[in-house]
Amino acid sequence: MVANVGGFDRVLRFVAGVVLILVPFVAPSVPALGGLGNWAWLIGAVGVVMLLTAAFRFCPAYPLLGINTCGR
């Protein structure tokens, strides 16, 4: 795997991942988000994927789309 996720992209993915992982735990206590139900857990799973792509600096969708934010 060649790194294809750059610095700014990596930080953005990390922050978004943390926020999305917290959704299933915060949603029941926020009335506006309380109606998410099982969708909240799917959103949390997307957050885990975001964290993993930030940690490994590789996004499997980027080669398919011809994107490389790594700058190498």
Side-chain angles (χ1 to χ4, degrees):
M1 287 187 308
V2 177
N4 62 5
V5 175
F8 179 73
D9 191 9
R10 190 175 185 191
V11 170
L12 192 64
R13 285 172 182 271
F14 180 81
V15 172
V18 170
V19 169
L20 292 176
I21 286 173
L22 292 176
V23 166
F25 303 104
V26 176
S29 63
V30 178
L33 296 176
L36 290 177
N38 289 334
W39 287 103
W41 293 104
L42 180 65
I43 293 169
V46 170
V48 170
V49 170
M50 297 291 280
L51 278 181
L52 289 174
T53 57
F56 291 112
R57 299 189 71 185
F58 179 77
C59 177
Y62 275 9
L64 298 173
L65 299 172
I67 301 172
N68 184 355
T69 62
C70 196
R72 290 184 185 171

